[in-house]
Amino acid sequence: MSDSEAPPAVAPEGVSGARGLPQEALEIASGYAFAGPALDLGVLLWDGRCLPDARIRIPLPVLNRHGLVAGATGTGKTKTLQLIAEQLSVQGVPVFLADIKGDVSGISAPGVSNDKVLARAQEVHQEWTPTACPAEFYALGGMGKGIPVRATVTSFGPVLLSKVLQLNQTQEQSLGLIFHYADQKGLELFDLKDLRAVVTFLTSDEGKAELKGIGGLSPATAGVILRSLSAFEAQGMSPFFGEPEFDTSELLRTAPDGRGTVSVLELPEVQDKPQLFSTFLMWMLADLFHDLPEVGDIDKPKLVFFFDEAHLLFTGASKAFLESITQTVRLIRSKGVGVFFVTQTPKDVPADVLAQLGNRVQHALRAFTPDDQKALKATVKTFPHSAYDLEEVLTGIGTGEAVVTVLSEKGAPTPVAATRLRAPQSLMGPVDPAALDRAVQASPLYGRYAQAVDRESAYERLAARDAAAAQAGRAPAKGGGRAKEEPSVVEQVVGSGIFKSLARSMGTQIGREITRSLFGTARRRR
């Protein structure tokens, strides 16, 4: 050994089998030597070598401190989600995954051994065994293969609906006023036709006075909202709103053997509607926030929620929307839910949200253009001080490799570690469509949500009033087209005397005002 060569360092206590590692590698590895339960991501990469005795891990209790999985297309983000989801399930933690391209359904089937998988397992000293996870499959509005997921317009709320309808700030505020009115009057907005009926009424001669004391609704703004609703329906979006409404507590289920259920939302049929599915994911998260009790710091999360294609959520978002996202992410941790945003670069996530993401798995980035170079430099600045040249590492690591930093058991950031990731043990690809259909129809949840229902709500109640008005010889309210019937129907329900009588007959459940949480979401448990 030359004088310039340092002798092999002795492994710190807790870094099993790491004797003989270079000093810098030992310092990194010691930062991941956790005493409690943890997920194995892979092993350390140092100086171009894979060091299988230096394991890179995430403590289970800090997974509700949120995280980011980022990287260019084709660098292995989906397989990383699969790897983390498998281990969470084994630890009894339920997982939610959005499957945008249709290639995550394989998590429900055992993996297939091949030379590539076995070589990776040998490199990282992984005992690879084909293993399937207990899984449920869902589809927005029943579009695609999965148990239908629907929301009522009432519970979806005005902020999220404004995002879907692409309304501006003024129109969003007016929509909030409409929801406030419907809430006060106990009008259930189950589907889009209910909302259209109330909007039309509030711009009719009879309805204008209802909002005068709280700002009113201009005909121009109402017209924009109605046109946006019509365009939305014309694109085939109506099935997403209605009943039976999905109960997000289903995502917290575990299998009979104690493993966490992996809930997979199948999105290939709606991947061309990014505003819709990204906002629906936010509704599910906001609904969980609305309903779950405070639990503080717990031994393991109640749920880990992976938010794929996260940049779509923030694109074109209003200030109110972004503030609600930030507050949800900040506070939902204390309810036992961890959120991982999945996107290409950290700059896709607003700084206030990024600051809440304590666990980071950054796959390779490309640097072909000036914009790429700028994104690369910005990404490097989001990491703690590192022994690596991160610009070089992030452009040089291969598929299935990543730069990692997580929170330790004490909540402090771990050293930055270039990591060769383990291979998922479930199927890395989609399951057979017929097998997916069988799994969906065999689910105990299928009978609960498969068939859409159209209960009596604002539109139907108002239609009954229209018939009563006709029998009494009264003219319907002024309006055009289909709205000519609907406003006069609404008047029966919301008219001062008649509405009170109706509310009494329906009981306090429908007559009381709805309370709303972040994003203006609301739910009445049935």
Side-chain angles (χ1 to χ4, degrees):
M1 183 189 307
S2 67
D3 293 339
S4 62
E5 291 178 322
V10 177
E13 186 177 354
V15 185
S16 174
R19 208 174 278 276
L21 293 181
Q23 181 63 40
E24 297 93 336
L26 271 174
E27 290 175 356
I28 296 172
S30 64
Y32 293 86
F34 309 122
L39 310 186
D40 279 308
L41 290 179
V43 301
L44 185 67
L45 288 171
W46 182 260
D47 197 22
R49 292 187 297 136
C50 179
L51 306 177
D53 292 324
R55 296 161 62 195
I56 305 302
R57 311 161 74 214
I58 305 179
L60 187 63
V62 305
L63 281 161
N64 68 337
R65 300 294 184 94
H66 312 316
L68 176 74
V69 178
T73 301
T75 56
K77 296 192 298 294
T78 300
K79 300 302 177 285
T80 298
L81 304 189
Q82 196 167 340
L83 172 67
I84 296 174
E86 289 174 353
Q87 295 185 61
L88 284 168
S89 176
V90 170
Q91 298 273 9
V93 178
V95 177
F96 173 86
L97 293 170
D99 185 9
I100 294 173
K101 294 174 288 188
D103 56 357
V104 180
S105 59
I107 200 167
S108 64
V112 176
S113 176
N114 57 44
D115 292 342
K116 187 175 180 181
V117 168
L118 294 178
R120 174 58 62 97
Q122 184 176 7
E123 285 177 337
V124 300
H125 287 191
Q126 175 186 4
E127 295 182 7
W128 189 88
T129 304
T131 307
C133 294
E136 292 281 7
F137 298 95
Y138 300 97
L140 289 184
M143 292 184 66
K145 297 181 181 296
I147 298 162
V149 173
R150 306 178 188 87
T152 64
V153 172
T154 286
S155 72
F156 203 71
V159 178
L160 293 177
L161 189 58
S162 294
K163 181 78 161 55
V164 169
L165 297 178
Q166 301 181 44
L167 302 180
N168 64 29
Q169 184 175 350
T170 300
Q171 294 153 2
E172 177 182 320
Q173 291 170 346
S174 295
L175 188 61
L177 193 64
I178 294 165
F179 271 77
H180 176 68
Y181 174 78
D183 292 349
Q184 283 189 319
K185 298 299 185 181
L187 286 172
E188 286 280 17
L189 308 177
F190 288 154
D191 49 31
L192 295 177
K193 69 179 183 297
D194 291 324
L195 177 60
R196 188 189 299 107
V198 174
V199 175
T200 305
F201 166 68
L202 291 174
T203 55
S204 71
D205 293 340
E206 294 169 303
K208 286 178 182 177
E210 296 284 341
L211 294 183
K212 276 187 178 180
I214 51 175
L217 177 65
S218 76
T221 300
V224 171
I225 294 172
L226 289 172
R227 287 192 295 274
S228 297
L229 285 171
S230 296
F232 190 67
E233 290 177 296
Q235 295 171 31
M237 306 296 196
S238 293
F240 305 120
F241 293 96
E243 290 193 307
E245 182 175 67
F246 182 68
D247 186 343
T248 52
S249 67
E250 308 284 13
L251 304 180
L252 306 176
R253 296 166 63 235
T254 56
D257 62 4
R259 289 183 296 166
T261 298
V262 180
S263 298
V264 183
L265 184 63
E266 292 292 325
L267 296 171
E269 295 294 326
V270 294
Q271 60 179 298
D272 60 337
K273 302 174 177 64
Q275 290 277 356
L276 175 70
F277 71 69
S278 64
T279 310
F280 242 94
L281 294 183
M282 198 65 232
W283 169 75
M284 298 174 84
L285 192 60
D287 192 69
L288 285 164
F289 176 83
H290 187 267
D291 291 335
L292 288 176
E294 294 280 340
V295 294
D297 291 323
I298 51 180
D299 293 337
K300 62 183 181 181
K302 288 186 173 183
L303 173 72
V304 176
F305 192 105
F306 288 94
F307 210 123
D308 207 356
E309 299 291 342
H311 66 282
L312 298 171
L313 181 67
F314 304 110
T315 301
S318 68
K319 182 180 179 181
F321 190 86
L322 292 176
E323 288 175 349
S324 294
I325 293 174
T326 304
Q327 192 172 1
T328 300
V329 173
R330 182 179 294 123
L331 299 178
I332 202 169
R333 177 187 71 80
S334 65
K335 299 195 173 192
V337 177
V339 183
F340 275 68
F341 291 95
V342 186
T343 188
Q344 294 204 1
T345 71
K347 73 180 183 65
D348 294 334
V349 181
D352 287 345
V353 176
L354 190 63
Q356 308 299 318
L357 311 183
N359 304 297
R360 303 276 297 280
V361 181
Q362 176 68 58
H363 288 265
L365 291 174
R366 310 300 179 220
F368 300 139
T369 69
D371 285 345
D372 290 342
Q373 289 282 357
K374 186 176 179 181
L376 174 62
K377 291 182 182 296
T379 297
V380 169
K381 290 179 180 179
T382 65
F383 279 89
H385 175 73
S386 169
Y388 296 93
D389 180 343
L390 286 181
E391 286 193 32
E392 181 179 342
V393 171
L394 286 173
T395 54
I397 55 177
T399 301
E401 298 174 346
V403 171
V404 174
T405 180
V406 303
L407 293 179
S408 71
E409 292 164 311
K410 296 181 179 179
T414 59
V416 175
T419 306
R420 181 158 293 164
L421 300 167
R422 293 160 67 99
Q425 297 185 143
S426 55
L427 181 64
M428 289 188 278
V431 297
D432 179 74
L436 183 54
D437 283 337
R438 288 194 296 271
V440 170
Q441 294 179 21
S443 169
L445 302 181
Y446 185 75
R448 190 178 308 169
Y449 296 107
Q451 188 62 47
V453 297
D454 189 8
R455 279 200 298 153
E456 188 179 40
S457 53
Y459 179 79
E460 287 76 20
R461 296 177 191 281
L462 306 176
R465 158 58 176 92
D466 189 60
Q471 288 182 355
R474 297 196 311 164
K478 295 180 180 179
R482 180 178 175 180
K484 183 175 290 186
E485 295 182 6
E486 296 173 2
S488 63
V489 175
V490 180
E491 185 264 348
Q492 170 70 12
V493 175
V494 298
S496 55
I498 301 174
F499 173 75
K500 291 176 183 177
S501 174
L502 178 61
R504 284 194 299 270
S505 69
M506 293 164 58
T508 58
Q509 174 67 12
I510 197 71
R512 63 180 173 84
E513 183 176 354
I514 296 170
T515 58
R516 294 191 175 273
S517 181
L518 293 173
F519 293 102
T521 56
R523 177 184 289 276
R524 292 196 183 103
R525 292 297 183 200
R526 288 174 288 278

